Amino acid sequence: MPRKEVLRIEKLKTHYYTLGGIVKAVDGVDLRVYKGELVALVGESGCGKSTLAFSIMGMVPPPGRIVSGKIYLSDINLVELSDEELRKIRWSKVSMVFQGAMNSLNPVMKVGDQIIEAMLYHDVISRPEEGRSTVKHLFELVGLDPNRIDSYPHELSGGMKQRVVIAMAMALNPDLIIADEPTTALDVTTQAKIMEVLKDVQKKTGVSILLITHDLPLVAEVSDRVYIMYAGKIVETGDVFTIFKSPRHPYTQGLIGAVPSIRGPKKKLVALPGEPPDLRFPPPGCRFHPRCSKAMDICGKKEPPRIEFGPDDFVSCWLFAKEGERK
Amino acid sequence: MSGNILVKAVHLKKYYPVRTSFLESILRGERIFVKAVDDVSFEIKRKEIFVIAGETGSGKTTTGKLLVGLEEPTSGEIYYNGEKISGIPIKKWKKHGLRKKIQMIFQDPYESLNPRQYVFDILAEPLIVNKVVSSREELYDRIMRKLEEVKLIPPEEFAFRYPHELSGGQRQRVVVARGMILEPEFVVADEPVSMLDASIRANVLDLLEEFRSKYGVTFLYITHDLATARYVGDRIAIMYLGKFVETGPVDEVIQNPQHPYTKALVSAIPVPDPEYARKKKRFELYGEIPTPINPPKGCRLHPRCPLAMDICSREEPPMVKVGPDHYASCWLLAKR
């Protein structure tokens, strides 16, 4: 059964034109999210994962811009839209939950009114009173007491504010929520609850979620499919079981080998040597080769091909290329 | 009496007064306090990596600051090597030779290094202030050696750089080097890797282990992350609202938690195994951690605990032995 695509990104390049050089933060990324899926985009700081999120939202901060590629959101190519058209799609088709979003709530405005304001702006309602019942429903959806609609942010705990932010992201019934490190800086118990809320909202509404994070254990726990991003490129993708049980790319293997777990035998962790590259001057060939223990001659010379194992299941690594191709 | 015990805390308390209006203080008739650390006792053995783990507001960082003299306890005593140090004001620590022995490694490599100093000067300052080097050559040698030990190699290349010229992982190594430059016996490491990317955390954690095996350094590792705690630690104390709720060998506490709070904490931690994660049953508490101002009476967890009984809201639970060197403070475990 073909699944409905909610988001399709093709060969996207988003670069920052800084005085020090061109930062190739997103450099040829393909990514797909289907309806009702929770897809994780994993990478270390500075790999370009947040820039990818900003590109989808049409909010790449200057001096950055989308250089080439396509971003289809249910068949509309966002890259071609004007700012005004984007503004209409933003929040109604795709919304975002930011890292620390709970601190971006307006402190002098009731939380319910902040959601109603967004609905007014997008002409879903014409008078504020019409929005109240919707907001109450949203609050129930995210497990908040509907009477909290007239609370101010300071009257709510961190976890409750995070729920308000999720309710706000759902206000216009979007097809996709981009959650950029939604639980970083929260305590583990709160984090677990928030992820449960997101999953629950997804189950009830069928919204797709693109989770952007560096937290591998979290990804293992909540996601259906995973994209691994390194230095502006997707190096591997697959379903969550394949990625964690039999990772193919040496970078994915390295990441998984570097993360301690509270379960299983205590093992010696092997940190990846070195640091991610400066994206103004990425290494030639495979961008991971200076840190890779399995690097061959060709890795430093030519960009690795994409080896497909199935739909939405590929790795970009010379190790998987046929002998004859490795020259 | 000290023997194998390097650090000992006895009924340690740290209360911070809450500023209230004059009227309010008259109406209330008493001052109110944030009870950051509220009657905590523990011992840290020589060459041990002891972990204090807890969530935001549990009092774990305050406990660490008390041990290095950055805060003075409201009451209770701290013994170091059998000697009472809790009465010694911080300004006299240097005179007593304590500064050289007890050091701290801070969390944020972006904020805890002076941006205007070379790495060399950052490391030279403690050596000069504490008068432990007698010549420029010795100063230079010691700094280079320490940079090598934290794997900033070649050291000459890193010594004359500013912090902003280093990556996050390299900065954190400088922070570790500064904590270790006086060759202390006891080091409090407060979330030393929480700001770093997962792929390089293990490197910095391994440094602690290396300093322990090479110089016999004793560590107090403070963290909210039980997975790294398990990786480096020997024994652990789980802290909630200013109190220890469970202590024991790290693996034992994490694999076989006895206190409801520890159970909830452990079950909330994501596991990098998708199959297990989908089967696992979470043990959940109600609500969120309350403020440490006027914490709940009796057991501090009782308003959030699904297993709470009558007695939990009335009386504080005793510490109960639940296994070899494993203790938990819960009425469910107590014989009544």
Side-chain angles (χ1 to χ4, degrees):
Chain A
M1 189 184 79
R3 290 181 293 173
K4 188 170 172 271
E5 266 176 21
V6 171
L7 174 73
R8 186 170 85 243
I9 296 177
E10 289 176 4
K11 300 194 176 62
L12 183 71
K13 290 190 179 185
T14 304
H15 297 170
Y16 293 94
Y17 293 84
T18 68
L19 291 176
I22 302 170
V23 180
K24 295 167 183 160
V26 175
D27 206 20
V29 163
D30 293 291
L31 183 146
R32 261 191 287 217
V33 180
Y34 298 100
K35 187 167 168 45
E37 244 190 342
L38 199 158
V39 173
L41 176 64
V42 186
E44 295 174 272
S45 44
C47 75
K49 56 190 194 298
S50 289
T51 300
L52 185 66
F54 289 140
S55 305
I56 301 167
M57 293 297 285
M59 304 193 309
V60 180
R65 61 184 175 84
I66 294 174
V67 180
S68 63
K70 297 183 174 95
I71 303 171
Y72 287 103
L73 195 70
S74 336
D75 300 326
I76 308 167
N77 184 359
L78 301 183
V79 176
E80 290 166 356
L81 297 187
S82 67
D83 283 355
E84 190 48 42
E85 289 167 311
L86 258 178
R87 220 189 308 271
K88 287 208 179 100
I89 283 194
R90 194 154 52 214
W91 229 253
S92 65
K93 294 258 185 233
V94 52
S95 61
M96 194 161 173
V97 175
F98 297 93
Q99 177 176 356
M102 54 190 197
N103 299 323
S104 62
L105 291 170
N106 186 341
V108 293
M109 197 172 173
K110 292 171 181 169
V111 288
D113 291 346
Q114 301 190 37
I115 299 179
I116 288 171
E117 192 182 38
M119 288 158 62
L120 280 170
Y121 184 85
H122 283 273
D123 299 324
V124 185
I125 50 171
S126 50
R127 286 180 306 121
E129 300 76 55
E130 295 168 28
R132 288 185 70 88
S133 66
T134 315
V135 174
K136 285 188 176 173
H137 278 134
L138 287 169
F139 274 25
E140 273 168 22
L141 182 69
V142 298
L144 265 179
D145 179 357
N147 296 321
R148 286 293 189 173
I149 184 167
D150 289 320
S151 297
Y152 288 95
H154 75 265
E155 296 171 309
L156 306 177
S157 69
M160 284 154 88
K161 278 188 269 187
Q162 196 72 22
R163 282 169 206 250
V164 170
V165 171
I166 296 172
M168 197 179 275
M170 284 304 294
L172 301 177
N173 205 9
D175 299 326
L176 176 70
I177 296 179
I178 298 172
D180 189 1
E181 305 272 12
T183 58
T184 312
L186 294 179
D187 279 318
V188 276
T189 48
T190 316
Q191 163 177 302
K193 283 212 175 111
I194 293 299
M195 287 318 298
E196 227 164 67
V197 172
L198 267 176
K199 288 287 268 187
D200 194 44
V201 166
Q202 175 164 55
K203 211 192 278 170
K204 286 180 189 156
T205 63
V207 66
S208 306
I209 298 173
L210 178 62
L211 172 69
I212 296 178
T213 182
H214 68 278
D215 186 346
L216 271 178
L218 181 69
V219 168
E221 205 144 302
V222 301
S223 64
D224 301 313
R225 283 196 302 120
V226 184
Y227 285 86
I228 308 282
M229 191 165 181
Y230 183 77
K233 292 187 181 291
I234 302 293
V235 296
E236 179 169 10
T237 185
D239 72 76
V240 67
F241 299 102
T242 315
I243 293 284
F244 280 89
K245 292 282 172 204
S246 42
R248 302 182 186 107
H249 199 283
Y251 177 61
T252 317
Q253 292 170 357
L255 273 185
I256 291 170
V259 174
S261 172
I262 56 161
R263 259 194 94 245
K266 230 183 202 170
K267 56 173 189 194
K268 173 95 183 124
L269 297 180
V270 188
L272 287 165
E275 311 251 350
D278 182 338
L279 289 180
R280 285 175 302 172
F281 317 106
C286 171
R287 293 184 175 184
F288 185 62
H289 85 266
R291 302 175 73 188
C292 183
S293 59
K294 295 171 184 161
M296 305 172 289
D297 264 0
I298 189 160
C299 301
K301 291 181 194 135
K302 258 172 97 176
E303 221 176 278
R306 176 181 298 177
I307 318 289
E308 310 237 1
F309 298 89
D312 305 306
D313 186 3
F314 64 78
V315 62
S316 289
C317 177
W318 280 113
L319 289 171
F320 294 87
K322 290 196 190 77
E323 283 294 332
E325 290 167 4
R326 291 192 202 160
K327 38 179 143 143
Chain B
M1 68 166 260
S2 61
N4 198 25
I5 307 294
L6 186 65
V7 180
K8 186 174 171 183
V10 184
H11 298 299
L12 205 56
K13 289 184 186 174
K14 180 67 189 179
Y15 294 176
Y16 296 98
V18 177
R19 217 172 284 220
T20 45
S21 69
F22 179 64
L23 186 66
E24 203 181 339
S25 60
I26 289 176
L27 292 175
R28 272 180 192 270
E30 56 179 323
R31 300 195 68 180
I32 49 176
F33 294 94
V34 172
K35 298 179 176 177
V37 178
D38 198 9
D39 198 354
V40 160
S41 301
F42 58 92
E43 289 175 342
I44 303 177
K45 298 186 188 113
R46 276 175 214 283
K47 297 189 188 179
E48 181 175 49
I49 299 184
F50 184 72
V51 185
I52 297 184
E55 297 184 282
T56 314
S58 61
K60 57 189 192 298
T61 294
T62 307
T63 308
K65 285 182 176 169
L66 289 169
L67 295 189
V68 297
L70 288 177
E71 294 281 359
E72 283 176 26
T74 307
S75 71
E77 291 105 51
I78 302 165
Y79 296 89
Y80 184 79
N81 225 344
E83 242 174 276
K84 188 175 160 195
I85 61 165
S86 42
I88 302 172
I90 181 123
K91 285 188 178 144
K92 299 216 171 123
W93 270 49
K94 206 172 90 191
K95 206 176 110 206
H96 282 79
L98 287 169
R99 219 5 106 221
K100 274 186 263 181
K101 293 179 186 162
I102 303 176
Q103 281 287 323
M104 185 153 184
I105 294 172
F106 292 93
Q107 172 177 14
D108 189 339
Y110 295 88
E111 289 191 353
S112 59
L113 295 175
N114 185 341
R116 290 159 183 261
Q117 278 186 323
Y118 281 132
V119 169
F120 186 89
D121 296 323
I122 290 169
L123 297 182
E125 199 167 308
L127 292 171
I128 296 166
V129 169
N130 287 284
K131 300 190 180 78
V132 290
V133 284
S134 49
S135 68
R136 290 197 73 83
E137 289 71 39
E138 202 188 338
L139 180 74
Y140 185 86
D141 286 348
R142 270 187 84 156
I143 289 170
M144 292 305 151
R145 184 151 41 92
K146 213 42 85 179
L147 283 173
E148 247 170 52
E149 281 174 0
V150 298
K151 314 279 175 337
L152 289 171
I153 299 169
E156 305 79 28
E157 211 173 277
F158 289 97
F160 297 98
R161 288 203 204 163
Y162 289 107
H164 72 89
E165 296 173 287
L166 305 174
S167 69
Q170 290 166 346
R171 279 182 219 211
Q172 194 57 14
R173 284 163 195 275
V174 175
V175 174
V176 173
R178 183 181 54 186
M180 305 310 295
I181 191 91
L182 291 170
E183 301 189 340
E185 300 166 345
F186 175 58
V187 176
V188 173
D190 187 4
E191 303 267 21
V193 296
S194 65
M195 306 283 287
L196 303 180
D197 268 318
S199 70
I200 50 176
R201 276 184 196 168
N203 276 333
V204 176
L205 292 175
D206 287 342
L207 288 179
L208 303 190
E209 183 57 53
E210 276 166 38
F211 280 110
R212 179 212 344 227
S213 53
K214 194 167 171 190
Y215 297 107
V217 181
T218 306
F219 285 96
L220 170 62
Y221 178 72
I222 297 173
T223 186
H224 69 279
D225 179 3
L226 289 186
T228 59
R230 181 179 180 224
Y231 184 63
V232 295
D234 301 315
R235 281 191 310 136
I236 192 168
I238 308 287
M239 206 166 176
Y240 181 75
L241 281 183
K243 287 197 180 290
F244 282 3
V245 296
E246 186 161 355
T247 62
V250 169
D251 247 356
E252 173 67 14
V253 170
I254 290 175
Q255 306 299 330
N256 186 20
Q258 294 296 313
H259 194 281
Y261 178 68
T262 318
K263 284 184 185 172
L265 198 59
V266 169
S267 78
I269 295 168
V271 175
D273 175 348
E275 268 161 39
Y276 174 78
R278 275 154 186 74
K279 283 184 296 193
K280 111 177 165 186
K281 274 254 176 296
R282 273 192 53 210
F283 180 84
E284 282 186 70
L285 299 173
Y286 309 122
E288 289 172 50
I289 192 166
T291 82
I293 304 173
N294 290 327
K297 293 258 170 335
C299 170
R300 298 196 167 181
L301 189 67
H302 86 263
R304 302 182 61 197
C305 181
L307 309 172
M309 305 172 292
D310 265 1
I311 191 166
C312 303
S313 57
R314 292 196 312 265
E315 278 178 63
E316 239 176 72
M319 264 289 178
V320 184
K321 185 165 185 170
V322 291
D325 202 25
H326 186 179
Y327 298 84
S329 162
C330 177
W331 280 116
L332 287 168
L333 307 164
K335 286 197 196 81
R336 276 166 296 139

